[in-house]
Amino acid sequence: MIRSSACNKLFMSPTTSSPLVPCCSSIAWNFNPPPSLFSSSSSPTLSSKANFLSCAHTKTLGIEEEEEEAIIEKSSTSSELVEFPLLNEEYRACTIPWRDPSDDPSVPAPTELSWINLLLNTIPSYKERAETDSSVPDAANRAEIFAKRYAEILEDLKKDPASHGVPLDIRLLCRLREQVLREVGFRDIFKKVKEEENLKAISLFENVVRLNDAIEDEGERLENLVRGIFAGNVFDLGSIELAEAFSRDGMSFSSACEKLVARPWIIDDLDTFKMKWRKKKWKKVIIFVDNSGADIILGILPFVRELLRRGSKVVLAANDLPSINDVTYLELIEIISKLRDEEGCLIGVSTSNLLIANSGNDLPVIDLTRVSQEVAYHASDADLVILEGMGRGIETNLYAQFKCDSLKIGMVKHVEVAEFLGSRMYDCVIKYNEATGS
């Protein structure tokens, strides 16, 4: 088993033993999450020789500024979205059925009402974020318009579930929210907090990696990396309780590591995955990534580095457009450029086999029948698909079957999801499946 001391050391200076806590932001990293949240008992210059494949919307790390501007203008809307080719038949994006076929289509089902109310309850936090968006003129007034308009839409759905499109599911509710934000002038209301949290996480990346490297046993090292993914996935401003914790106190990656709920988790295929990890080396891995900050930098990237060290080619598929604090593909390219050294390495591991792709998605959940053509192209020879985060790996795609091996990994952060799974809040999901028939 992994000893908690590995996580305890993440924020300790090697010379002073004092916490490495950046204080450049109003969201500090010195918050210790209450036990009830997690315990079961309750270099900016880009290298010109970056070897990143560039097609459609894949951007190389050596791109010039004028080319970057051109790519920004060319979003996924300029090309047709296609079905992810590794899906098996009978694919259903949304995990939780919100109604029975026998339910009256003109009356909202109890589960539909529960999710509509969940989205209603998020409006104040979105409005507050929007009000402080200095990139938007008259932000306070526009934020008020957003809050009123989105609330009206949700109230309409309570009266008529088909009033704004069908099927009524989490994809529709999220898409309506993003559409209203963009219609009133907001492109990325979480931009500032994402930038702040990325800088903090970047400053801690080397410590996290070196502590992982110090674990000699391959299985124990993998488990530590998986726990790091869970701890990083706590950084989710789509969860009301966690958003409030960040606004109030910030969040500590080390505390999240220490206070993960005890195993066995609600879906716990870690031992099976560890066994496969010891015996199998996947040639190409596609990872649909989730949040900015600790999630991508301290959770996913150390795991990616380990895959690269084992000889895998890795494709990181990130959102085309901003949504909540999810990392976009352009933001991810910038993050990688800051973490890589002059030789193109992540702490001694070459990134020549690391690709950054635009997934074509613009939501915190994902429907794999609608991905970018470049991601579909990369999938042609992939033998492992990973969907990370509650939105991509639990609320959608938990039961999706693939023609290659697959891993769904994330933390349960909505009561509605916990109730469906019969889990604790902040429980963990790691679901591994081997390839199924084509």
Side-chain angles (χ1 to χ4, degrees), residues 281-334:
K281 292 186 179 181
W282 294 274
K283 62 181 181 180
K284 189 174 186 180
V285 183
I286 296 181
I287 306 177
F288 290 88
V289 298
D290 193 13
N291 303 318
S292 299
D295 192 337
I296 183 68
I297 296 167
L298 305 182
I300 289 296
L301 289 181
F303 177 73
V304 167
R305 179 179 171 275
E306 190 73 10
L307 285 169
L308 293 171
R309 185 158 66 174
R310 286 162 52 90
S312 298
K313 178 178 288 187
V314 181
V315 180
L316 296 178
N319 269 15
D320 176 20
L321 299 177
S323 181
I324 318 181
N325 62 314
D326 289 6
V327 67
T328 67
Y329 83 108
L330 289 175
E331 291 167 344
L332 184 50
I333 289 163
E334 182 179 358

Short mmCIF file of all heavy atoms in Angstrom, two decimals, residues 281-334:
data_model
loop_
_atom_site.label_atom_id
_atom_site.label_comp_id
_atom_site.label_asym_id
_atom_site.label_seq_id
_atom_site.Cartn_x
_atom_site.Cartn_y
_atom_site.Cartn_z
N LYS A 281 1.93 -2.99 -22.06
CA LYS A 281 2.30 -1.61 -22.37
C LYS A 281 1.50 -1.18 -23.60
O LYS A 281 1.68 -1.72 -24.68
CB LYS A 281 3.80 -1.49 -22.61
CG LYS A 281 4.62 -1.74 -21.35
CD LYS A 281 6.10 -1.48 -21.57
CE LYS A 281 6.88 -1.71 -20.27
NZ LYS A 281 8.33 -1.46 -20.43
N TRP A 282 0.59 -0.24 -23.39
CA TRP A 282 -0.24 0.22 -24.49
C TRP A 282 0.58 1.08 -25.44
O TRP A 282 1.38 1.93 -25.01
CB TRP A 282 -1.43 1.02 -23.94
CG TRP A 282 -2.35 0.17 -23.14
CD1 TRP A 282 -3.38 -0.59 -23.60
CD2 TRP A 282 -2.34 -0.04 -21.71
NE1 TRP A 282 -4.01 -1.25 -22.58
CE2 TRP A 282 -3.39 -0.94 -21.40
CE3 TRP A 282 -1.54 0.45 -20.68
CZ2 TRP A 282 -3.66 -1.34 -20.11
CZ3 TRP A 282 -1.80 0.04 -19.38
CH2 TRP A 282 -2.85 -0.84 -19.09
N LYS A 283 0.39 0.90 -26.73
CA LYS A 283 1.20 1.64 -27.71
C LYS A 283 0.70 3.08 -27.89
O LYS A 283 1.49 3.98 -28.14
CB LYS A 283 1.21 0.92 -29.06
CG LYS A 283 -0.16 0.77 -29.72
CD LYS A 283 -0.08 0.03 -31.05
CE LYS A 283 -1.46 -0.08 -31.70
NZ LYS A 283 -1.38 -0.80 -33.01
N LYS A 284 -0.61 3.30 -27.73
CA LYS A 284 -1.15 4.65 -27.90
C LYS A 284 -2.36 4.85 -27.01
O LYS A 284 -3.30 4.05 -27.05
CB LYS A 284 -1.55 4.89 -29.36
CG LYS A 284 -1.90 6.35 -29.67
CD LYS A 284 -2.13 6.51 -31.17
CE LYS A 284 -2.34 7.94 -31.58
NZ LYS A 284 -2.55 8.06 -33.05
N VAL A 285 -2.32 5.91 -26.23
CA VAL A 285 -3.36 6.18 -25.24
C VAL A 285 -4.00 7.54 -25.54
O VAL A 285 -3.29 8.54 -25.70
CB VAL A 285 -2.78 6.19 -23.81
CG1 VAL A 285 -3.89 6.40 -22.79
CG2 VAL A 285 -2.00 4.90 -23.54
N ILE A 286 -5.31 7.58 -25.63
CA ILE A 286 -6.04 8.84 -25.78
C ILE A 286 -6.71 9.15 -24.45
O ILE A 286 -7.45 8.32 -23.90
CB ILE A 286 -7.10 8.77 -26.89
CG1 ILE A 286 -6.43 8.54 -28.25
CG2 ILE A 286 -7.95 10.03 -26.92
CD1 ILE A 286 -7.38 8.49 -29.42
N ILE A 287 -6.43 10.35 -23.91
CA ILE A 287 -7.01 10.75 -22.62
C ILE A 287 -7.87 11.99 -22.83
O ILE A 287 -7.38 13.04 -23.24
CB ILE A 287 -5.92 11.05 -21.58
CG1 ILE A 287 -4.95 9.87 -21.45
CG2 ILE A 287 -6.56 11.37 -20.23
CD1 ILE A 287 -3.81 10.11 -20.47
N PHE A 288 -9.15 11.88 -22.55
CA PHE A 288 -10.05 13.03 -22.55
C PHE A 288 -9.94 13.67 -21.17
O PHE A 288 -10.37 13.09 -20.17
CB PHE A 288 -11.49 12.60 -22.84
CG PHE A 288 -11.69 12.15 -24.26
CD1 PHE A 288 -11.48 10.82 -24.63
CD2 PHE A 288 -12.09 13.05 -25.23
CE1 PHE A 288 -11.68 10.40 -25.94
CE2 PHE A 288 -12.28 12.65 -26.55
CZ PHE A 288 -12.07 11.32 -26.91
N VAL A 289 -9.32 14.85 -21.12
CA VAL A 289 -8.96 15.46 -19.84
C VAL A 289 -10.06 16.38 -19.33
O VAL A 289 -11.00 16.74 -20.05
CB VAL A 289 -7.62 16.22 -19.95
CG1 VAL A 289 -6.50 15.25 -20.32
CG2 VAL A 289 -7.70 17.36 -20.97
N ASP A 290 -9.91 16.82 -18.08
CA ASP A 290 -10.98 17.54 -17.39
C ASP A 290 -10.55 18.96 -17.02
O ASP A 290 -10.47 19.83 -17.87
CB ASP A 290 -11.41 16.73 -16.16
CG ASP A 290 -12.71 17.21 -15.55
OD1 ASP A 290 -13.44 18.01 -16.17
OD2 ASP A 290 -13.02 16.76 -14.42
N ASN A 291 -10.25 19.19 -15.75
CA ASN A 291 -10.09 20.55 -15.23
C ASN A 291 -8.68 21.10 -15.36
O ASN A 291 -7.70 20.37 -15.46
CB ASN A 291 -10.48 20.58 -13.74
CG ASN A 291 -11.88 20.09 -13.50
OD1 ASN A 291 -12.79 20.40 -14.24
ND2 ASN A 291 -12.05 19.29 -12.45
N SER A 292 -8.60 22.44 -15.27
CA SER A 292 -7.32 23.14 -15.19
C SER A 292 -6.72 22.93 -13.80
O SER A 292 -7.27 22.23 -12.96
CB SER A 292 -7.52 24.64 -15.43
OG SER A 292 -8.05 24.89 -16.71
N GLY A 293 -5.58 23.59 -13.55
CA GLY A 293 -4.99 23.60 -12.22
C GLY A 293 -4.43 22.26 -11.79
O GLY A 293 -3.80 21.53 -12.56
N ALA A 294 -4.67 21.91 -10.53
CA ALA A 294 -4.13 20.68 -9.96
C ALA A 294 -4.57 19.44 -10.72
O ALA A 294 -3.83 18.46 -10.81
CB ALA A 294 -4.54 20.57 -8.49
N ASP A 295 -5.76 19.46 -11.26
CA ASP A 295 -6.29 18.29 -11.96
C ASP A 295 -5.37 17.88 -13.11
O ASP A 295 -4.82 16.77 -13.12
CB ASP A 295 -7.70 18.60 -12.47
CG ASP A 295 -8.44 17.36 -12.96
OD1 ASP A 295 -7.78 16.37 -13.31
OD2 ASP A 295 -9.68 17.39 -12.99
N ILE A 296 -5.20 18.77 -14.08
CA ILE A 296 -4.39 18.42 -15.24
C ILE A 296 -2.91 18.38 -14.91
O ILE A 296 -2.19 17.48 -15.36
CB ILE A 296 -4.67 19.40 -16.41
CG1 ILE A 296 -3.87 18.98 -17.66
CG2 ILE A 296 -4.36 20.84 -16.05
CD1 ILE A 296 -4.30 17.69 -18.28
N ILE A 297 -2.41 19.32 -14.07
CA ILE A 297 -0.97 19.47 -13.88
C ILE A 297 -0.40 18.52 -12.85
O ILE A 297 0.66 17.91 -13.05
CB ILE A 297 -0.64 20.94 -13.52
CG1 ILE A 297 -1.02 21.85 -14.70
CG2 ILE A 297 0.84 21.10 -13.17
CD1 ILE A 297 -1.04 23.32 -14.35
N LEU A 298 -1.08 18.35 -11.73
CA LEU A 298 -0.58 17.50 -10.65
C LEU A 298 -1.20 16.11 -10.66
O LEU A 298 -0.65 15.19 -10.04
CB LEU A 298 -0.81 18.17 -9.29
CG LEU A 298 -0.23 19.57 -9.14
CD1 LEU A 298 -0.48 20.10 -7.73
CD2 LEU A 298 1.27 19.59 -9.45
N GLY A 299 -2.32 15.95 -11.33
CA GLY A 299 -2.97 14.66 -11.42
C GLY A 299 -2.67 13.92 -12.71
O GLY A 299 -2.05 12.86 -12.71
N ILE A 300 -3.10 14.49 -13.83
CA ILE A 300 -2.98 13.80 -15.11
C ILE A 300 -1.56 13.79 -15.67
O ILE A 300 -1.07 12.74 -16.13
CB ILE A 300 -3.95 14.43 -16.14
CG1 ILE A 300 -5.39 14.07 -15.79
CG2 ILE A 300 -3.62 13.96 -17.55
CD1 ILE A 300 -5.70 12.59 -15.88
N LEU A 301 -0.86 14.94 -15.65
CA LEU A 301 0.44 14.98 -16.31
C LEU A 301 1.50 14.07 -15.67
O LEU A 301 2.31 13.48 -16.40
CB LEU A 301 0.93 16.43 -16.41
CG LEU A 301 0.16 17.28 -17.42
CD1 LEU A 301 0.72 18.69 -17.49
CD2 LEU A 301 0.16 16.63 -18.81
N PRO A 302 1.58 13.91 -14.35
CA PRO A 302 2.50 12.90 -13.82
C PRO A 302 2.19 11.49 -14.32
O PRO A 302 3.10 10.69 -14.59
CB PRO A 302 2.32 13.01 -12.30
CG PRO A 302 1.89 14.44 -12.10
CD PRO A 302 0.99 14.73 -13.27
N PHE A 303 0.90 11.18 -14.44
CA PHE A 303 0.48 9.88 -14.98
C PHE A 303 0.88 9.76 -16.46
O PHE A 303 1.38 8.72 -16.90
CB PHE A 303 -1.03 9.74 -14.81
CG PHE A 303 -1.62 8.49 -15.39
CD1 PHE A 303 -1.42 7.27 -14.77
CD2 PHE A 303 -2.39 8.53 -16.55
CE1 PHE A 303 -1.98 6.10 -15.31
CE2 PHE A 303 -2.94 7.38 -17.09
CZ PHE A 303 -2.73 6.16 -16.47
N VAL A 304 0.66 10.85 -17.22
CA VAL A 304 1.05 10.87 -18.63
C VAL A 304 2.56 10.67 -18.78
O VAL A 304 3.03 9.92 -19.64
CB VAL A 304 0.63 12.20 -19.28
CG1 VAL A 304 1.29 12.40 -20.64
CG2 VAL A 304 -0.89 12.26 -19.42
N ARG A 305 3.31 11.34 -17.92
CA ARG A 305 4.77 11.21 -17.96
C ARG A 305 5.19 9.76 -17.75
O ARG A 305 6.13 9.26 -18.38
CB ARG A 305 5.38 12.11 -16.88
CG ARG A 305 6.90 12.06 -16.79
CD ARG A 305 7.38 13.02 -15.70
NE ARG A 305 8.80 12.85 -15.42
CZ ARG A 305 9.30 11.95 -14.58
NH1 ARG A 305 8.47 11.12 -13.92
NH2 ARG A 305 10.60 11.86 -14.38
N GLU A 306 4.50 9.06 -16.86
CA GLU A 306 4.81 7.65 -16.61
C GLU A 306 4.50 6.81 -17.84
O GLU A 306 5.26 5.90 -18.20
CB GLU A 306 4.02 7.15 -15.40
CG GLU A 306 4.43 5.78 -14.91
CD GLU A 306 5.77 5.77 -14.17
OE1 GLU A 306 6.32 6.86 -13.87
OE2 GLU A 306 6.27 4.65 -13.90
N LEU A 307 3.39 7.10 -18.51
CA LEU A 307 3.06 6.39 -19.75
C LEU A 307 4.13 6.62 -20.81
O LEU A 307 4.55 5.68 -21.50
CB LEU A 307 1.70 6.86 -20.28
CG LEU A 307 0.45 6.36 -19.54
CD1 LEU A 307 -0.77 7.13 -20.01
CD2 LEU A 307 0.24 4.86 -19.77
N LEU A 308 4.57 7.88 -20.95
CA LEU A 308 5.62 8.20 -21.93
C LEU A 308 6.91 7.45 -21.60
O LEU A 308 7.59 6.94 -22.49
CB LEU A 308 5.88 9.71 -21.94
CG LEU A 308 4.75 10.59 -22.45
CD1 LEU A 308 5.07 12.06 -22.20
CD2 LEU A 308 4.49 10.35 -23.94
N ARG A 309 7.23 7.39 -20.33
CA ARG A 309 8.45 6.70 -19.90
C ARG A 309 8.38 5.21 -20.23
O ARG A 309 9.41 4.58 -20.49
CB ARG A 309 8.67 6.92 -18.40
CG ARG A 309 9.97 6.34 -17.90
CD ARG A 309 10.42 6.98 -16.62
NE ARG A 309 9.54 6.72 -15.49
CZ ARG A 309 9.83 7.09 -14.23
NH1 ARG A 309 10.96 7.74 -13.98
NH2 ARG A 309 8.98 6.83 -13.25
N ARG A 310 7.16 4.66 -20.23
CA ARG A 310 6.97 3.24 -20.55
C ARG A 310 6.91 2.99 -22.06
O ARG A 310 6.75 1.85 -22.47
CB ARG A 310 5.68 2.75 -19.89
CG ARG A 310 5.79 2.57 -18.38
CD ARG A 310 4.40 2.52 -17.74
NE ARG A 310 3.51 1.57 -18.36
CZ ARG A 310 3.38 0.28 -17.99
NH1 ARG A 310 4.12 -0.19 -16.98
NH2 ARG A 310 2.54 -0.52 -18.61
N GLY A 311 6.97 4.06 -22.87
CA GLY A 311 7.00 3.88 -24.32
C GLY A 311 5.70 4.13 -25.05
O GLY A 311 5.62 3.93 -26.27
N SER A 312 4.65 4.54 -24.33
CA SER A 312 3.37 4.81 -24.98
C SER A 312 3.39 6.17 -25.68
O SER A 312 4.04 7.10 -25.21
CB SER A 312 2.23 4.81 -23.96
OG SER A 312 2.09 3.55 -23.33
N LYS A 313 2.67 6.26 -26.79
CA LYS A 313 2.35 7.57 -27.36
C LYS A 313 1.07 8.02 -26.68
O LYS A 313 0.14 7.22 -26.47
CB LYS A 313 2.15 7.46 -28.87
CG LYS A 313 1.77 8.77 -29.54
CD LYS A 313 1.64 8.60 -31.06
CE LYS A 313 3.00 8.43 -31.68
NZ LYS A 313 2.92 8.43 -33.18
N VAL A 314 0.99 9.31 -26.30
CA VAL A 314 -0.18 9.80 -25.56
C VAL A 314 -0.79 10.99 -26.29
O VAL A 314 -0.09 11.92 -26.67
CB VAL A 314 0.21 10.20 -24.12
CG1 VAL A 314 -1.03 10.70 -23.36
CG2 VAL A 314 0.84 9.03 -23.38
N VAL A 315 -2.10 10.94 -26.47
CA VAL A 315 -2.87 12.05 -27.03
C VAL A 315 -3.76 12.61 -25.93
O VAL A 315 -4.60 11.88 -25.38
CB VAL A 315 -3.74 11.59 -28.22
CG1 VAL A 315 -4.54 12.77 -28.78
CG2 VAL A 315 -2.90 10.95 -29.31
N LEU A 316 -3.57 13.90 -25.60
CA LEU A 316 -4.43 14.56 -24.62
C LEU A 316 -5.49 15.34 -25.38
O LEU A 316 -5.18 16.28 -26.11
CB LEU A 316 -3.61 15.50 -23.74
CG LEU A 316 -2.56 14.84 -22.85
CD1 LEU A 316 -1.79 15.89 -22.06
CD2 LEU A 316 -3.20 13.83 -21.90
N ALA A 317 -6.73 14.94 -25.24
CA ALA A 317 -7.85 15.58 -25.94
C ALA A 317 -8.54 16.53 -24.97
O ALA A 317 -9.14 16.10 -23.98
CB ALA A 317 -8.82 14.53 -26.46
N ALA A 318 -8.46 17.83 -25.26
CA ALA A 318 -9.03 18.86 -24.38
C ALA A 318 -10.07 19.68 -25.14
O ALA A 318 -10.08 19.72 -26.37
CB ALA A 318 -7.92 19.77 -23.85
N ASN A 319 -10.92 20.36 -24.38
CA ASN A 319 -12.02 21.12 -24.95
C ASN A 319 -11.57 22.14 -25.99
O ASN A 319 -10.51 22.75 -25.87
CB ASN A 319 -12.78 21.86 -23.85
CG ASN A 319 -13.93 21.05 -23.30
OD1 ASN A 319 -14.03 19.85 -23.52
ND2 ASN A 319 -14.82 21.70 -22.57
N ASP A 320 -12.43 22.36 -26.96
CA ASP A 320 -12.24 23.42 -27.95
C ASP A 320 -12.50 24.78 -27.31
O ASP A 320 -11.67 25.68 -27.38
CB ASP A 320 -13.21 23.18 -29.11
CG ASP A 320 -13.18 24.27 -30.16
OD1 ASP A 320 -12.18 25.00 -30.22
OD2 ASP A 320 -14.15 24.38 -30.93
N LEU A 321 -13.64 24.91 -26.66
CA LEU A 321 -14.05 26.18 -26.06
C LEU A 321 -14.13 26.05 -24.54
O LEU A 321 -14.30 24.96 -24.01
CB LEU A 321 -15.42 26.62 -26.61
CG LEU A 321 -15.49 26.85 -28.12
CD1 LEU A 321 -16.92 27.19 -28.53
CD2 LEU A 321 -14.52 27.93 -28.57
N PRO A 322 -14.03 27.19 -23.82
CA PRO A 322 -14.08 27.14 -22.35
C PRO A 322 -15.44 26.68 -21.83
O PRO A 322 -16.48 26.98 -22.41
CB PRO A 322 -13.81 28.60 -21.94
CG PRO A 322 -13.16 29.24 -23.13
CD PRO A 322 -13.76 28.56 -24.31
N SER A 323 -15.40 25.98 -20.73
CA SER A 323 -16.61 25.60 -20.00
C SER A 323 -16.20 25.35 -18.55
O SER A 323 -15.32 24.53 -18.28
CB SER A 323 -17.21 24.33 -20.60
OG SER A 323 -18.39 23.95 -19.91
N ILE A 324 -16.83 26.06 -17.62
CA ILE A 324 -16.44 26.04 -16.21
C ILE A 324 -14.92 26.22 -16.13
O ILE A 324 -14.38 27.08 -16.80
CB ILE A 324 -16.91 24.76 -15.47
CG1 ILE A 324 -18.35 24.37 -15.87
CG2 ILE A 324 -16.86 24.95 -13.98
CD1 ILE A 324 -18.88 23.15 -15.17
N ASN A 325 -14.23 25.41 -15.31
CA ASN A 325 -12.79 25.53 -15.22
C ASN A 325 -12.08 24.41 -15.98
O ASN A 325 -10.93 24.08 -15.71
CB ASN A 325 -12.32 25.54 -13.76
CG ASN A 325 -12.65 24.25 -13.02
OD1 ASN A 325 -13.77 23.75 -13.10
ND2 ASN A 325 -11.71 23.74 -12.26
N ASP A 326 -12.78 23.81 -16.95
CA ASP A 326 -12.15 22.79 -17.78
C ASP A 326 -11.02 23.40 -18.59
O ASP A 326 -11.13 24.53 -19.09
CB ASP A 326 -13.17 22.17 -18.73
CG ASP A 326 -14.17 21.28 -18.01
OD1 ASP A 326 -14.15 21.25 -16.77
OD2 ASP A 326 -15.00 20.65 -18.69
N VAL A 327 -9.95 22.65 -18.77
CA VAL A 327 -8.81 23.13 -19.55
C VAL A 327 -9.14 23.03 -21.03
O VAL A 327 -9.74 22.05 -21.49
CB VAL A 327 -7.52 22.35 -19.20
CG1 VAL A 327 -7.61 20.90 -19.64
CG2 VAL A 327 -6.29 23.03 -19.78
N THR A 328 -8.81 24.05 -21.81
CA THR A 328 -8.96 24.00 -23.26
C THR A 328 -7.65 23.53 -23.89
O THR A 328 -6.60 23.56 -23.26
CB THR A 328 -9.33 25.37 -23.84
OG1 THR A 328 -8.23 26.27 -23.69
CG2 THR A 328 -10.57 25.95 -23.15
N TYR A 329 -7.73 23.14 -25.16
CA TYR A 329 -6.52 22.62 -25.79
C TYR A 329 -5.45 23.69 -25.95
O TYR A 329 -4.26 23.41 -25.84
CB TYR A 329 -6.85 21.94 -27.12
CG TYR A 329 -6.99 22.84 -28.32
CD1 TYR A 329 -6.01 22.84 -29.31
CD2 TYR A 329 -8.09 23.66 -28.49
CE1 TYR A 329 -6.13 23.66 -30.42
CE2 TYR A 329 -8.22 24.47 -29.59
CZ TYR A 329 -7.24 24.47 -30.57
OH TYR A 329 -7.36 25.27 -31.67
N LEU A 330 -5.84 24.95 -26.18
CA LEU A 330 -4.86 26.02 -26.26
C LEU A 330 -4.21 26.29 -24.91
O LEU A 330 -3.01 26.53 -24.81
CB LEU A 330 -5.51 27.30 -26.80
CG LEU A 330 -5.89 27.28 -28.29
CD1 LEU A 330 -6.63 28.56 -28.66
CD2 LEU A 330 -4.65 27.12 -29.16
N GLU A 331 -5.00 26.24 -23.84
CA GLU A 331 -4.45 26.40 -22.49
C GLU A 331 -3.51 25.26 -22.15
O GLU A 331 -2.47 25.46 -21.51
CB GLU A 331 -5.59 26.46 -21.47
CG GLU A 331 -6.42 27.72 -21.57
CD GLU A 331 -7.73 27.64 -20.79
OE1 GLU A 331 -8.14 26.52 -20.41
OE2 GLU A 331 -8.34 28.70 -20.56
N LEU A 332 -3.85 24.05 -22.57
CA LEU A 332 -3.02 22.90 -22.27
C LEU A 332 -1.68 22.98 -23.00
O LEU A 332 -0.63 22.61 -22.44
CB LEU A 332 -3.76 21.61 -22.65
CG LEU A 332 -3.06 20.29 -22.33
CD1 LEU A 332 -2.57 20.24 -20.89
CD2 LEU A 332 -3.99 19.11 -22.61
N ILE A 333 -1.69 23.48 -24.23
CA ILE A 333 -0.44 23.68 -24.96
C ILE A 333 0.46 24.64 -24.20
O ILE A 333 1.68 24.42 -24.06
CB ILE A 333 -0.73 24.20 -26.38
CG1 ILE A 333 -1.36 23.08 -27.22
CG2 ILE A 333 0.53 24.73 -27.06
CD1 ILE A 333 -2.05 23.56 -28.46
N GLU A 334 -0.12 25.71 -23.67
CA GLU A 334 0.66 26.69 -22.90
C GLU A 334 1.22 26.06 -21.63
O GLU A 334 2.38 26.30 -21.25
CB GLU A 334 -0.20 27.90 -22.57
CG GLU A 334 0.54 28.99 -21.82
CD GLU A 334 -0.32 30.20 -21.52
OE1 GLU A 334 -1.49 30.22 -21.95
OE2 GLU A 334 0.19 31.12 -20.86
#
